[in-house]
Amino acid sequence: MEKQKLKINGARLKRTLEQFADFGRTENNGVTRLSLSEEDRLVRDYFCSCCEEIGMMVTIDDLGNIYATLKGEENKKPIILGSHLDSVKKGGRFDGVLGVVAGLEVVRTLVENNIKPTHPIMIVNFTNEEGARFEPSMMSSGVLCGKFDKSVMFQKQDVDGISFGEALKYSGYAGDEEYRLKEGEAFVELHIEQGPILEKENLSIGVVECVVGMVCYEIEVTGDSDHAGTTPMNMRKDALQAAISAISKVCDKLDKLDSELVYTFGRMNVFPNIHTVIPNKVIFSLEARHKNPEVVKQVETIIHSMKDDSIHSNCSVDIRKLWDRETVWFDQNVVNSIEQSVESLGYSYKRMVSGAGHDAQFIASYIPTAMVFVPSINGKSHSEDELTTWEDCTNGVNVLLETVVSMLKTLSSK
Ligand SMILES: [Zn+2]
């Protein structure tokens, strides 16, 4: 019979998550811990002390990313766990922090069982994942992978005019470039799903295969402003009516495209926005996400069809692509390794995609990477109502531990 599997301490995990939530806890049991704020500085201090207490070595790079390493044999690349400790304003107690505390719990379990890994185990806390104080989000992992320019990022300002560079210096977490994350055997990020799928399908674990690609467009409809009382309906060039008609046609087409496609008209500005004046201009955004680039291409064709469709009352339509992002596929070996771990633990699961962005998508460009999701109750996230059951948190961290243990086994048998 197979020997009893190593499991993490669920009670300790819960206690630690609650301790971390004390840094910036809100009245309604959420968390406000903006990147490099006082709360963030204090939670970083606490995280470092927890890691040092169990014999890990802590280093800080020039972006304020924290790396805590449990030593392995010389010249071996680390297995990396982690996520981010910053939150949005009035966010939840699980987003990001779960992945960091999970790393801590995995290492605590290894240490108390006297397991000396062949490969170093590293926990990383990425600075400013949320982009809630300094845009863009995933700032530091973006610099690490070469997507963002450091000097540009350091000048990004918060609403008070404080730059990222200044805030980093003030926090005391401006370290050295030589400590940047350069290599690893694997990076595994445990995160809450932030959507309703796992809960709805009554599953414990999501094995994440990719972060879906997306496109974002801005559409401008131009008509003519006239008096709302004196202009007959058939003599108007109403930009808003035209926009509504165009949107409804686009929705009909997009809904037929693919059941996994998601799209959003998140922003709409109406001009001049006065109830007695016929709108002469409407500007709105349309973003769409899907893992398959072919589907995304079809979406773009449909968006462009807005121009040709005979839309309401001879208004003109201008379509601008703001930006796009390709689907990031995670490493098949890491995905398989996670899946096998979930199966060996007997948890229910499915392979799924991430509709949201994560640091893992940038790190994936130079280290074999994948993610593990645990259910979000009612799909809520970036909100004080964010909730994942302690049992689901525990299961997720057990998957992480089992994945690390099995990776160590595989690596040492090579
Ligand atoms: Zn997050």
Side-chain angles (χ1 to χ4, degrees):
M1 223 182 94
E2 203 193 345
K3 177 166 115 212
Q4 191 80 34
K5 277 191 188 307
L6 195 61
K7 292 277 181 70
I8 61 126
N9 181 336
R12 180 173 57 195
L13 175 72
K14 174 184 173 187
R15 203 164 56 235
T16 312
L17 281 165
E18 287 291 17
Q19 280 163 341
F20 274 63
D22 282 339
F23 298 96
R25 195 187 293 268
T26 59
E27 249 173 71
N28 300 312
N29 208 15
V31 165
T32 297
R33 196 164 54 227
L34 296 179
S35 189
L36 303 176
S37 62
E38 182 62 6
E39 294 80 16
D40 189 31
R41 187 179 71 78
L42 292 171
V43 80
R44 283 163 168 264
D45 290 353
Y46 183 61
F47 170 60
C48 292
S49 72
C50 289
C51 293
E52 282 165 345
E53 209 176 87
I54 51 173
M56 302 183 86
M57 191 181 74
V58 175
T59 53
I60 318 287
D61 72 12
D62 56 325
L63 305 158
N65 297 318
I66 302 175
Y67 310 97
T69 307
L70 181 71
K71 236 178 102 178
E73 290 167 7
E74 287 294 321
N75 301 321
K76 299 265 200 236
K77 290 192 268 185
I79 295 171
I80 305 149
L81 307 171
S83 192
H84 60 94
L85 289 173
D86 68 322
S87 82
V88 298
K89 195 171 169 189
K90 294 197 176 178
R93 291 170 291 154
F94 300 89
D95 179 357
V97 61
L98 174 62
V100 178
V101 169
L104 182 60
E105 179 56 35
V106 165
V107 175
R108 281 174 169 171
T109 306
L110 294 176
V111 169
E112 75 192 355
N113 285 279
N114 288 315
I115 295 173
K116 298 208 164 43
T118 48
H119 291 63
I121 310 295
M122 179 187 273
I123 313 169
V124 54
N125 165 44
F126 292 109
T127 304
N128 191 29
E129 191 277 343
E130 293 291 0
R133 183 176 174 198
F134 306 99
E135 286 185 32
S137 50
M138 302 176 284
M139 181 188 274
S140 299
S141 53
V143 174
L144 287 179
C145 79
K147 170 101 177 164
F148 300 142
D149 182 80
K150 177 182 163 181
S151 57
V152 175
M153 294 302 120
F154 269 50
Q155 283 160 28
K156 298 282 180 179
Q157 291 183 352
D158 67 7
V159 288
D160 299 319
I162 299 169
S163 74
F164 177 81
E166 289 165 336
L168 181 61
K169 205 166 152 192
Y170 182 74
S171 74
Y173 276 88
D176 201 300
E177 189 170 337
E178 73 168 289
Y179 294 118
R180 283 191 189 184
L181 180 62
K182 290 182 202 79
E183 54 176 18
E185 288 290 350
F187 171 50
V188 186
E189 181 172 2
L190 171 68
H191 204 281
I192 54 167
E193 180 197 344
Q194 303 182 285
I197 296 169
L198 290 174
E199 188 197 23
K200 183 145 181 274
E201 299 184 14
N202 208 6
L203 299 170
S204 300
I205 299 289
V207 179
V208 187
E209 292 186 286
C210 68
V211 176
V212 297
M214 59 189 288
V215 283
C216 185
Y217 276 80
E218 184 173 79
I219 296 109
E220 182 172 331
V221 182
T222 308
D224 245 337
S225 275
D226 281 300
H227 195 292
T230 60
T231 318
M233 293 308 285
N234 61 1
M235 293 175 71
R236 297 178 178 213
K237 294 180 179 176
D238 185 327
L240 182 54
Q241 292 227 18
I244 290 166
S245 150
I247 287 173
S248 117
K249 281 179 187 157
V250 166
C251 289
D252 283 346
K253 291 180 193 173
L254 292 178
D255 287 341
K256 290 189 190 102
L257 207 53
D258 189 291
S259 62
E260 283 183 29
L261 177 72
V262 290
Y263 63 89
T264 307
F265 302 90
R267 165 168 63 81
M268 178 178 274
N269 295 302
V270 178
F271 303 92
N273 213 16
I274 299 167
H275 81 89
T276 55
V277 182
I278 296 165
N280 67 349
K281 195 185 283 295
V282 173
I283 301 176
F284 61 95
S285 65
L286 170 50
E287 65 134 83
R289 311 184 187 210
H290 196 279
K291 64 182 175 188
N292 183 348
E294 285 306 315
V295 174
V296 175
K297 212 179 278 171
Q298 286 171 287
V299 168
E300 298 196 78
T301 307
I302 289 171
I303 292 174
H304 284 286
S305 74
M306 270 193 269
K307 226 177 155 81
D308 314 322
D309 274 343
S310 55
I311 60 169
H312 190 263
S313 57
N314 48 36
C315 292
S316 67
V317 178
D318 193 33
I319 296 166
R320 291 182 291 269
K321 186 174 185 167
L322 296 184
W323 52 273
D324 58 15
R325 173 183 94 192
E326 280 177 23
T327 295
V328 175
W329 289 96
F330 289 137
D331 184 89
Q332 271 310 309
N333 290 330
V334 181
V335 171
N336 290 338
S337 169
I338 293 168
E339 186 171 47
Q340 281 158 19
S341 299
V342 178
E343 280 176 352
S344 77
L345 288 161
Y347 301 149
S348 58
Y349 78 99
K350 74 183 279 185
R351 285 190 175 216
M352 61 190 301
V353 304
S354 173
H358 295 285
D359 291 310
Q361 81 197 54
F362 285 154
I363 301 308
S365 70
Y366 69 105
I367 291 173
T369 294
M371 293 187 74
V372 180
F373 278 173
V374 286
S376 295
I377 292 180
N378 295 321
K380 287 245 181 277
S381 185
H382 283 188
S383 135
E384 292 168 310
D385 298 331
E386 185 178 282
L387 192 61
T388 296
T389 66
W390 299 118
E391 191 191 346
D392 284 333
C393 289
T394 300
N395 291 349
V397 184
N398 274 323
V399 169
L400 221 53
L401 174 65
E402 180 60 25
T403 304
V404 167
V405 169
S406 70
M407 278 179 178
L408 286 170
K409 238 182 248 168
T410 312
L411 285 167
S412 57
S413 70
K414 263 185 192 168

